[in-house]
Amino acid sequence: MSVTPFQPLAFAQNLAVRGLIGLGLALPYRWRVPLMGAILRGPVGRIAGYRQRAMANLALIWPDMDLKQRKKIASEALDNAGRTLIENYSTAGFLARQSHLIPQGPGVAALAKAQAEGRAVILVSGHFGNYEAARACLVAQGYTIGGLYRPMSNSYFNAHYVRTMQAFGGPIFPQGRAGTTGFVKHLKAGGLLVLLFDQRAGSDQIKFLGEPARTALSAADLSLRYKADLIPFYATRQPDGLSFEVDLEAPIPHTTALEMTTQLTRSLEARVKAHPGQWFWIHRRWR
């Protein structure tokens, strides 16, 4: 059995993150969430380079936007990312809050119909708001939802990150050969699967917010292969900073994987334009 060598820098980074998470979890829920947002919006976001990356992305996409407005959106995006991090580690409190949500949109009926007929459904979103709020909401409605995730480069952080996702209910599968077998079986059995499609991956260039971005077609490919409904969904953070609105859009019609992924991209674009501070501008989406 191979043993992963000790990585001092990764270990130190993980300790720092776990320390911040531990600090947050020691506080009442209504305090910890805005506090973690403020920490990432402030010193941590600057030290980690997240603010600079967000500003660079915003300058690329909206070069004519007033600098003050770009700074505002970057701050909101960092705040949302910090809130999302601690929410996802606040399993009991977070799940309890989302259990009272009622999902909206035409995709709600489509999801119920597919499940009643024993058909698979792939729920697709981006790093917008906090998608785990939607997953938690649907789990509270009685659905078992699997997830496909990209393992973190920091193996120490990845270990507890995976345990946190598992606590939301439903099986989770890592990207790659090992995970593929599991989620294919899950889909064949008529299961539900959540996928996020807005990170730089794949070889297909689809314009996202006006700029070409490498975009994986895997969600649409799986939908076509296993005759699964492909439903865009979003959990939009509300003005109080703690609650969400969950929307399930109408299923994307089955055409080609490229056309379906383009439609998913247009759906996400509309959400980002309506609430630009809720998308994770800290990602390296364009190069």
Side-chain angles (χ1 to χ4, degrees):
M1 181 177 67
S2 63
V3 177
T4 303
F6 178 65
Q7 300 170 306
L9 179 59
F11 184 76
Q13 289 171 337
N14 177 61
L15 282 181
V17 173
R18 289 304 300 268
L20 282 174
I21 293 170
L23 170 66
L25 293 178
L27 299 172
Y29 186 94
R30 67 182 183 278
W31 295 351
R32 78 178 67 143
V33 175
L35 173 63
M36 194 60 68
I39 289 173
L40 203 64
R41 186 177 70 241
V44 172
R46 293 182 185 278
I47 293 169
Y50 296 153
R51 175 171 290 277
Q52 298 92 311
R53 193 180 305 153
M55 289 297 293
N57 282 332
L58 285 161
L60 172 69
I61 299 304
W62 291 316
D64 298 328
M65 180 181 284
D66 180 72
L67 178 60
K68 184 178 179 180
Q69 182 62 17
R70 291 206 301 266
K71 287 181 177 179
K72 179 177 181 291
I73 293 172
S75 292
E76 290 173 351
L78 290 167
D79 184 90
N80 180 64
R83 288 172 184 258
T84 296
L85 175 66
I86 198 64
E87 284 167 346
N88 293 352
Y89 275 86
S90 305
T91 310
F94 189 62
L95 286 173
R97 284 176 170 268
Q98 311 328 314
S99 66
H100 304 295
L101 287 178
I102 304 298
Q104 305 173 18
V108 175
L111 173 61
K113 184 174 186 292
Q115 284 290 276
E117 296 172 354
R119 292 185 291 108
V121 174
I122 301 175
L123 296 159
V124 184
S125 193
H127 290 80
F128 176 89
N130 185 350
Y131 85 94
E132 288 286 16
R135 185 175 170 218
C137 165
L138 293 173
V139 167
Q141 299 284 316
Y143 294 104
T144 299
I145 305 175
L148 184 68
Y149 72 96
R150 177 184 292 184
M152 299 283 188
S153 57
N154 187 318
S155 60
Y156 302 103
F157 185 85
N158 188 70
H160 53 84
Y161 167 72
V162 170
R163 290 195 297 271
T164 298
M165 290 191 296
Q166 289 171 330
F168 281 87
I172 61 168
F173 310 100
Q175 287 183 350
R177 182 176 298 177
T180 300
T181 302
F183 75 70
V184 165
K185 287 182 179 178
H186 186 67
L187 285 177
K188 284 182 175 179
L192 307 182
L193 183 69
V194 164
L195 285 172
L196 304 185
F197 81 109
D198 62 338
Q199 286 183 295
R200 188 173 184 269
S203 58
D204 287 86
Q205 297 278 353
I206 296 176
K207 282 195 173 183
F208 177 51
L209 296 170
E211 290 291 328
R214 280 177 51 184
T215 307
L217 308 183
S218 50
D221 278 331
L222 289 167
S223 174
L224 291 169
R225 189 177 308 164
Y226 299 106
K227 297 180 174 56
D229 281 356
L230 189 66
I231 299 178
F233 77 98
Y234 302 96
T236 304
R237 192 178 298 278
Q238 297 303 285
D240 65 4
L242 296 172
S243 57
F244 294 88
E245 182 177 275
V246 175
D247 295 291
L248 275 65
E249 297 183 351
I252 301 291
H254 282 193
T255 52
T256 66
L258 180 59
E259 173 58 28
M260 292 166 73
T261 306
T262 300
Q263 289 189 50
L264 287 173
T265 302
R266 300 295 163 258
S267 168
L268 178 59
E269 279 182 338
R271 298 283 170 167
V272 175
K273 289 175 180 178
H275 303 280
Q278 297 207 31
W279 189 64
F280 282 30
W281 291 93
I282 60 179
H283 283 163
R284 292 185 174 91
R285 188 66 187 95
W286 303 272
R287 287 187 184 175

